Amino acid sequence: MANLRLSKINKVFGSVHVVHDVDLEVLDGEFVVFVGPSGCGKSTLLRIIAGLEKATSGAIEIDGEVVNDVSAAERGLAMVFQSYALYPHMSVYQNMAFGLENNRMPRAQIDARVREAARMLRIEEYLGRKPKALSGGQRQRVAIGRAIVRKPRVFLLDEPLSNLDAELRVLMRAELAGLHARLGATMIYVTHDQVEAMTLADKIVVLRDGRVEQVGRPLDLYNHPANRFVAGFIGSPKMNFLPARLLRAGADGLTVEVAGLAPLTLPFDGAVLSPRQELTLGMRPTHVRHQADGEFAGTVEVSEQLGGESYLYCRVAGEHRVVIHAQGQSEVRRGDEIRMSFPPQHAYLFDAEGTALPRPGAARQTAPAAVDVAS
Amino acid sequence: MRRAIAFLTRRRGGRGWHPTDVLSYAYLVLGVVMMFGPVVWLVMCSFKTQAGLIEFPPSLLPYSQKQVVVEGYKEPLPLFEVKLPDGTTKPMAQVRRIGIISQMVDPANPGQTVRVRFEDRTPIRELSFAWENYTTPLAQFNFTRYLWNSVIVTSVATFITLIINSMAAYGLAKYEFRGRTSILIFIIGTLMIPISVIMVPVYLVVTQFGMVNSLWGVILPGAATPTGVFLLRQYMLTIPDELIDAARMDNASEWQIYWRLIVPLSLPAIAVLAIFSIMWRWNDFLWPLIILTRNEVYTLQVGLNAFQGELQVQWHFVLAMTVVTLLPITLVFAFLQKFITTGIASTGMK
Amino acid sequence: MESLLQLPWAIAMRALEYPMRGIQRLIGERRMPYVFVLPNLLIFGTFVVVPLFINFFYSVTGGTSLFPDQRPFVGAEQYGYLLDCEDYLKPFSCREDQFWRGIYNTITFVSFQVTAMVALSLLTAIVLNRRIAARGFFRSVFFYPVLLSPVVVALVWKWILQREGVLNAFLTALGGDGIVFLAEPQWAMFWAIFVSTWAHMGFYTLILLAGLQSIPRDLYEAAEMDGTSHWRTFRRITLPLLWPTMLVVLVLSLIKSVQTFDEVFVLTGGGPGTATQLIVQYIYSTAFATQVHNFGLAAAAAIVLGSVLLVLTLLQMRLGSGKDKD
């Protein structure tokens, strides 16, 4: 168990700058998830931590010791690969024992460790089989087992669930969470799936184009995204974005004109903004209200009825798409004109660069006036 | 029986016979005779005695005249079927022959000899294998030595080739390093250079190392086959890099990755190269012919050539030793023919 | 059997584990590929790359000594000697008539042998590609001689062709006269071509068969649906799609044919006279099998041969890369 610190990590492949000045601290026992769209540098960052790639600049410290020049083998980490990378010519037992043999561990101890891990992962009966003869989920367990037996300082997991089918993925996700709780180990987990990030992480690191966009606890990221990218990436379905323009800044907040519709006054502190500034209004689908006296009109293009909940895909002002996520069932059909409202206390505003505008502390607490009017 | 005929005449696709089918099978049967016939003929002849070999017209199977030991005669006598004056026939042994008259003796009654006309007797022949064609050259000439030299050259050279070629192929397939491209270009560029183009300078190099008339002089020059490096590298490129990363995380040294991971996973390609190497080395002729000039270091091929080039060719020995030379390859082929043909078809090399 | 082969291998590999780990620690993981390519490169450099350069040195020096320091520089004299001819079409008018006879013999040999090789292996491949029973067996039959050593191949046929051989037995049984095949120049050349074709056609058959089998079956089914005749199907589908493979076979057999030495040397010894002496045998005899070892002349002739092979190889590489693009 260990903590890990990255400072000013850069990685350049030829003329491509893959990782930019990444600073990060991972505490002992933490479950950290690197999340971002493909090509954002998250896997490269993981491989740099593993020692499989060399950082172009910057320092990697494990337990206060700089390990930049320590080889992958000697960093005392273990990795679970996307393809599992099980040695096809070795049995499950040999796969798990290989690393320990390389460390010249006595046979009895190897045996004890392999069997313990196999019991924990419920793969005892497959120990004699070759990877070919296992199902996807079983291979996944073996790959995790191969990491566990090493008792590594940090577990590194590179999209470990992406090769499983949807059902199995949910199952393995819960198991991984359980495993982390049981082992109390430090884990760094790479995924492009924000659901995995939200459900597993103690701390999420959102990456884009090799830069860290935001680091924080899952709900902090959800509730207080630092910028438009994070706001759009975290949460499902995606946050609705509508172009807005600042009309005036007053004591009660900012009054903005949204998509050419009625002005809205939102509780934001806009002292630094100039008038007529281009902004973006963000609103999570769960917070958009479908109500008869709403301020905005929209046309329903698709209505998905899942029984317990419903999604309405609407078009507002002829060009902007807005998704409404409501509990229960709804009678609305394709082509219907509906009205909706954007409750100001759940709104987000982003400036032209995408940075989130700060909310005054008070605004967050003043709550549910609008909730009462909800239909 | 009906079903057996149906099976034999069945064609793929189950449609009827067409004239071109008959032509095809005729061609194939001719092919079997042309391709196997000469070798079968050689094997048959290798069991004939010296006398049997010069028999004209020749027989397919190794027959020789039956001989019997008759009381009162030191040497075994040849046995003939004799037509007696009373019209009956009887097997009798010939004591001597003068002109057209043979002096015969009945083995059952050795005391009495009979004079028989030449045309009234026919030799009694039996199938017999002249194993001495094999045992004599192996025992009296150096053929056991040649055989042993060939085995040494083939096995040691194949072992060395497999090791150094697979090491180089791994280095060239799975690492980025300075000089890699130039090495690759050089190796591919020399794929087609035969020993005949560089035999003089290679001879110089071998002389400088003092390896003339040594088996090392045969083994080393051809050990670093470009074909092998090329073949193995192409195969190793298909092994996923993640496996190597996993092994590195498992604290395996690069050498361990090579022999515990890469080699077992490349086994199909290595087996193909092994077969190639065995074939090349066992059949190698020109280079050993140049480098080996002393009888005791000859390989089978060189020894066989020297033996057949003598003024008085002892064909009964040459044939037998040819069979000994072709036997190992034939056995390997018989067991691995499917593997060999698919291996060669997929690589386009031999 | 398998474990018997693996045991020495495993012992050697394990024994190297410690020193190799030490080397890796010393030079670092990133320089390990040099260790892997080194043994192969050493042998390859010593016995292929360096000789390639020494060959040029030999071809521009004279004398009979093997050792470079005892060989006087003569410039292009060796080449001049080889190429000195009154009439290039008449080998006997050349100063080094053996070389020119070798070239002409090789041209005859190559043109007939390659033609026969391509024609026969194509025919065989087409027959083998039909719906026939026991295809695997027949394929192996045609392939078997490929594995035999050239010496064995030559002896097998020498035994058949000799004066009291089985072929002459047939001829006399049919009422003809026996022929001493290998003592008559034209017959000797015929049999040299025949025997080397016999020995190698199985290899090209295998390649062509693989080419035929890679033609998608549904093309034939489509042609059948269109009511195309067999001959037309062959002309319009099989031949065009097989053409790249045919070219590869053609060039490959050309390269191999120019290099022929072993089986002809053992079969005829180049004789009668020099009737079947090919270019490689000329190089071999000039350097090693004559009383006076003329290494310079042999090296010059080898470079001439090497240039021809180089051109053919480049041709093959272009064909190969062209095939990939399709």
Side-chain angles (χ1 to χ4, degrees):
Chain A
M1 305 306 133
N3 46 25
L4 176 94
R5 184 205 299 274
L6 305 180
S7 20
K8 294 258 167 285
I9 298 290
N10 278 283
K11 176 71 188 177
V12 180
F13 284 119
S15 60
V16 191
H17 206 146
V18 195
V19 175
H20 278 278
D21 285 336
V22 170
D23 290 304
L24 182 68
E25 176 133 34
V26 177
L27 300 176
D28 189 18
E30 233 178 352
F31 197 122
V32 176
V33 175
F34 293 174
V35 68
S38 58
C40 69
K42 53 191 191 299
S43 283
T44 309
L45 194 58
L46 193 74
R47 291 170 59 83
I48 289 173
I49 296 170
L52 295 170
E53 300 285 356
K54 242 182 156 52
T56 311
S57 67
I60 307 138
E61 285 172 52
I62 301 176
D63 283 340
E65 178 204 356
V66 176
V67 295
N68 283 36
D69 294 319
V70 177
S71 72
E74 283 155 0
R75 290 189 189 183
L77 315 177
M79 185 149 165
V80 177
F81 292 86
Q82 184 171 8
S83 66
Y84 315 142
L86 298 178
Y87 310 124
H89 59 301
M90 299 186 193
S91 68
V92 168
Y93 186 99
Q94 289 167 325
N95 259 285
M96 289 166 53
F98 184 66
L100 303 179
E101 284 167 10
N102 292 340
N103 290 337
R104 310 196 165 274
M105 186 182 276
R107 281 206 178 277
Q109 203 179 341
I110 294 178
D111 193 64
R113 285 229 192 154
V114 170
R115 291 193 188 281
E116 186 197 337
R119 193 162 46 247
M120 196 188 291
L121 295 163
R122 286 172 283 117
I123 48 172
E124 286 162 294
E125 47 193 305
Y126 311 124
L127 282 176
R129 287 203 200 166
K130 294 269 171 72
K132 248 200 331 263
L134 300 178
S135 70
Q138 291 162 345
R139 286 181 205 178
Q140 173 67 71
R141 282 170 216 270
V142 176
I144 295 171
R146 188 169 67 178
I148 290 179
V149 292
R150 299 272 311 278
K151 296 203 194 302
R153 299 203 279 183
V154 180
F155 284 88
L156 308 174
L157 302 104
D158 187 3
E159 307 226 13
L161 304 183
S162 62
N163 283 340
L164 300 177
D165 61 46
E167 204 176 327
L168 207 52
R169 199 177 312 163
V170 175
L171 213 70
M172 283 306 296
R173 204 165 70 201
E175 274 193 36
L176 266 177
L179 202 65
H180 176 242
R182 208 155 4 135
L183 296 171
T186 314
M187 290 187 174
I188 301 179
Y189 184 107
V190 163
T191 181
H192 62 269
D193 180 355
Q194 59 93 23
V195 177
E196 280 175 24
M198 293 296 284
T199 49
L200 287 169
D202 294 323
K203 191 196 286 179
I204 294 180
V205 179
V206 182
L207 289 155
R208 178 170 62 150
D209 295 340
R211 290 173 209 274
V212 174
E213 294 284 325
Q214 192 173 3
V215 180
R217 291 183 298 142
L219 286 182
D220 285 346
L221 259 57
Y222 184 85
N223 293 328
H224 310 293
N227 53 44
R228 196 184 145 167
F229 174 77
V230 176
F233 196 81
I234 302 286
S236 174
K238 269 170 104 103
M239 186 183 273
N240 295 304
F241 293 111
L242 292 166
R245 192 191 299 270
L246 181 64
L247 293 179
R248 63 181 173 274
D252 53 342
L254 304 176
T255 306
V256 295
E257 177 194 36
V258 180
L261 302 169
L264 268 178
T265 301
L266 303 169
F268 283 93
D269 184 6
V272 292
L273 296 171
S274 51
R276 311 226 39 94
Q277 163 116 34
E278 299 283 348
L279 298 171
T280 305
L281 170 74
M283 183 66 74
R284 295 209 180 270
T286 18
H287 294 144
V288 183
R289 299 284 169 216
H290 165 213
Q291 54 190 50
D293 58 346
E295 307 91 317
F296 303 104
T299 315
V300 176
E301 293 190 318
V302 176
S303 162
E304 289 181 347
Q305 298 299 323
L306 303 182
E309 51 191 336
S310 48
Y311 294 91
L312 303 175
Y313 297 82
C314 311
R315 198 171 275 272
V316 170
E319 48 178 336
H320 308 294
R321 287 165 188 280
V322 171
V323 181
I324 303 172
H325 176 205
Q327 292 304 312
Q329 302 172 5
S330 143
E331 293 295 304
V332 177
R333 279 195 229 140
R334 182 181 144 77
D336 288 356
E337 289 283 329
I338 59 165
R339 296 196 74 79
M340 63 190 89
S341 71
F342 298 158
Q345 74 275 19
H346 290 305
Y348 299 89
L349 273 181
F350 305 96
D351 66 16
E353 281 79 50
T355 312
L357 296 188
R359 290 186 214 226
R364 239 186 284 167
Q365 285 142 20
T366 50
V371 177
D372 304 329
V373 250
S375 55
Chain B
M1 192 61 209
R2 251 239 198 87
R3 280 177 54 195
I5 290 171
F7 174 78
L8 287 174
T9 55
R10 186 185 63 191
R11 296 171 52 254
R12 293 192 185 200
R15 270 171 288 180
W17 280 77
H18 188 269
T20 53
D21 290 328
V22 180
L23 278 179
S24 299
Y25 279 103
Y27 179 79
L28 291 175
V29 169
L30 181 74
V32 173
V33 173
M34 280 305 294
M35 291 306 184
F36 273 171
V39 178
V40 172
W41 174 243
L42 180 94
V43 174
M44 290 301 178
C45 289
S46 76
F47 288 106
K48 290 180 182 171
T49 57
Q50 223 172 336
L53 280 179
I54 54 170
E55 212 174 79
F56 196 89
S59 62
L60 179 62
L61 293 172
Y63 284 108
S64 64
Q65 187 158 22
K66 204 168 176 174
Q67 295 187 317
V68 283
V69 181
V70 182
E71 218 177 294
Y73 299 92
K74 265 188 276 170
E75 301 287 318
L77 300 176
L79 203 61
F80 288 86
E81 191 82 12
V82 177
K83 195 152 78 183
L84 294 173
D86 57 0
T88 59
T89 57
K90 192 176 186 186
M92 295 183 92
Q94 174 180 277
V95 179
R96 66 177 69 86
R97 184 183 142 196
I98 306 146
I100 57 157
I101 301 296
S102 285
Q103 202 173 37
M104 312 290 286
V105 62
D106 185 353
N109 183 11
Q112 186 187 5
T113 58
V114 197
R115 292 159 67 93
V116 177
R117 273 191 308 169
F118 177 67
E119 62 266 28
D120 286 341
R121 66 183 191 34
T122 46
I124 297 178
R125 309 205 312 159
E126 62 176 356
L127 207 56
S128 83
F129 293 93
W131 289 106
E132 61 273 16
N133 290 352
Y134 287 82
T135 48
T136 310
L138 285 174
Q140 289 177 10
F141 305 99
N142 253 340
F143 262 96
T144 326
R145 187 63 188 262
Y146 304 160
L147 189 64
W148 178 242
N149 287 341
S150 270
V151 168
I152 292 284
V153 166
T154 304
S155 49
V156 173
T158 300
F159 193 68
I160 292 178
T161 297
L162 290 185
I163 292 184
I164 65 174
N165 274 3
S166 62
M167 280 172 69
Y170 170 51
L172 292 169
K174 289 296 177 193
Y175 292 91
E176 296 279 348
F177 60 95
R178 195 187 294 269
R180 189 181 74 152
T181 322
S182 22
I183 294 175
L184 270 175
I185 289 175
F186 228 104
I187 283 178
I188 293 170
T190 48
L191 271 176
M192 282 297 168
I193 292 190
I195 189 80
S196 49
V197 173
I198 48 172
M199 56 188 164
V200 174
V202 178
Y203 185 74
L204 168 73
V205 173
V206 168
T207 311
Q208 296 289 8
F209 284 122
M211 292 190 298
V212 171
N213 278 321
S214 125
L215 293 183
W216 286 110
V218 180
I219 291 170
L220 285 183
T225 66
T227 317
V229 176
F230 188 69
L231 182 100
L232 294 182
R233 176 172 180 268
Q234 291 303 101
Y235 193 87
M236 287 175 186
L237 286 175
T238 65
I239 297 175
D241 288 343
E242 269 199 352
L243 278 180
I244 295 171
D245 286 340
R248 282 197 187 124
M249 296 299 291
D250 267 342
N251 200 10
S253 67
E254 301 304 301
W255 180 255
Q256 279 174 316
I257 293 176
Y258 158 71
W259 86 270
R260 297 207 50 187
L261 199 63
I262 300 294
V263 169
L265 293 180
S266 314
L267 223 47
I270 289 178
V272 169
L273 178 60
I275 301 255
F276 281 172
S277 175
I278 289 171
M279 201 171 86
W280 293 331
R281 294 318 191 122
W282 186 263
N283 294 344
D284 199 8
F285 177 61
L286 173 59
W287 185 244
L289 180 71
I290 292 172
I291 216 81
L292 306 174
T293 55
R294 286 216 317 267
N295 193 285
E296 65 269 25
V297 288
Y298 278 0
T299 58
L300 261 185
Q301 312 291 343
V302 179
L304 201 56
N305 178 58
F307 209 51
Q308 69 96 23
E310 282 172 10
L311 225 49
Q312 280 294 316
V313 184
Q314 295 173 291
W315 272 108
H316 54 301
F317 292 152
V318 171
L319 296 179
M321 289 306 100
T322 308
V323 173
V324 170
T325 310
L326 67 78
L327 204 60
I329 290 282
T330 307
L331 286 180
V332 169
F333 182 62
F335 287 113
L336 300 175
Q337 54 97 357
K338 180 138 200 189
F339 180 76
I340 293 173
T341 44
T342 47
I344 286 177
S346 61
T347 58
M349 289 182 243
K350 64 166 176 174
Chain C
M1 180 68 181
E2 201 175 322
S3 56
L4 204 72
L5 291 174
Q6 275 172 2
L7 195 66
W9 173 273
I11 290 172
M13 292 293 125
R14 200 179 283 275
L16 281 167
E17 215 161 84
Y18 248 134
M20 283 294 182
R21 207 176 259 272
I23 292 172
Q24 184 175 341
R25 197 148 290 160
L26 203 67
I27 66 170
E29 182 187 305
R30 263 147 239 278
R31 268 180 242 137
M32 281 306 280
Y34 293 106
V35 175
F36 283 111
V37 294
L38 190 68
N40 199 76
L41 225 51
L42 270 183
I43 294 187
F44 189 67
T46 313
F47 293 105
V48 178
V49 181
V50 170
L52 270 176
F53 291 102
I54 305 182
N55 218 9
F56 284 100
F57 176 81
Y58 272 104
S59 74
V60 293
T61 52
T64 55
S65 172
L66 178 65
F67 300 101
D69 51 336
Q70 295 159 24
R71 296 182 62 84
F73 182 77
V74 296
E77 198 178 278
Q78 307 280 14
Y79 293 98
Y81 186 71
L82 277 183
L83 301 177
D84 185 6
C85 258
E86 279 169 29
D87 181 352
Y88 285 105
L89 295 176
K90 298 192 184 105
F92 54 83
S93 73
C94 301
R95 257 174 87 186
E96 183 63 1
D97 64 327
Q98 299 262 334
F99 174 70
W100 286 98
R101 280 173 210 274
I103 285 187
Y104 280 106
N105 286 339
T106 307
I107 289 174
T108 313
F109 179 86
V110 167
S111 41
F112 283 102
Q113 196 238 21
V114 169
T115 314
M117 188 82 93
V118 172
L120 280 175
S121 45
L122 181 63
L123 176 65
T124 313
I126 288 169
V127 172
L128 284 176
N129 195 40
R130 291 173 61 93
R131 297 180 177 125
I132 50 163
R135 178 192 292 166
F137 167 75
F138 286 117
R139 191 182 57 187
S140 297
V141 165
F142 282 96
F143 186 74
Y144 173 64
V146 173
L147 299 174
L148 296 179
S149 89
V151 179
V152 166
V153 166
L155 288 179
V156 163
W157 283 99
K158 205 170 176 175
W159 174 238
I160 289 172
L161 297 174
Q162 57 144 344
R163 189 193 301 266
E164 295 92 14
V166 68
L167 191 59
N168 273 330
F170 269 121
L171 286 182
T172 43
L174 293 172
D177 285 330
I179 304 168
V180 190
F181 290 107
L182 299 179
E184 299 196 15
Q186 303 213 326
W187 275 116
M189 181 54 100
F190 170 81
W191 286 110
I193 293 164
F194 179 93
V195 168
S196 70
T197 309
W198 178 84
H200 301 294
M201 66 170 275
F203 172 65
Y204 300 102
T205 302
L206 211 59
I207 295 181
L208 286 172
L209 186 60
L212 281 173
Q213 284 172 343
S214 72
I215 299 175
R217 211 139 262 291
D218 45 6
L219 286 183
Y220 289 108
E221 283 161 7
E224 207 172 326
M225 296 297 286
D226 292 341
T228 320
S229 72
H230 283 296
W231 175 241
R232 211 173 138 73
T233 308
F234 179 74
R235 282 274 312 275
R236 304 302 296 272
I237 296 178
T238 310
L239 270 191
L241 289 176
L242 193 62
W243 189 240
T245 318
M246 288 277 289
L247 278 180
V248 168
V249 164
L250 187 73
V251 179
L252 213 58
S253 62
L254 210 58
I255 292 173
K256 292 283 175 194
S257 182
V258 173
Q259 296 173 20
T260 306
F261 167 75
D262 308 8
E263 56 259 31
V264 178
F265 177 73
V266 179
L267 186 73
T268 67
T274 54
T276 55
Q277 177 168 308
L278 303 180
I279 188 70
V280 174
Q281 195 192 334
Y282 167 77
I283 299 171
Y284 163 74
S285 328
T286 309
F288 299 106
T290 48
Q291 286 299 314
V292 185
H293 296 317
N294 202 337
F295 294 119
L297 206 57
I303 286 172
V304 173
L305 171 66
S307 327
V308 174
L309 291 175
L310 186 69
V311 171
L312 290 175
T313 305
L314 290 178
L315 186 68
Q316 192 217 1
M317 279 181 178
R318 280 202 56 175
L319 290 179
S321 61
K323 208 174 99 180
D324 289 344
K325 268 179 227 141
D326 284 344

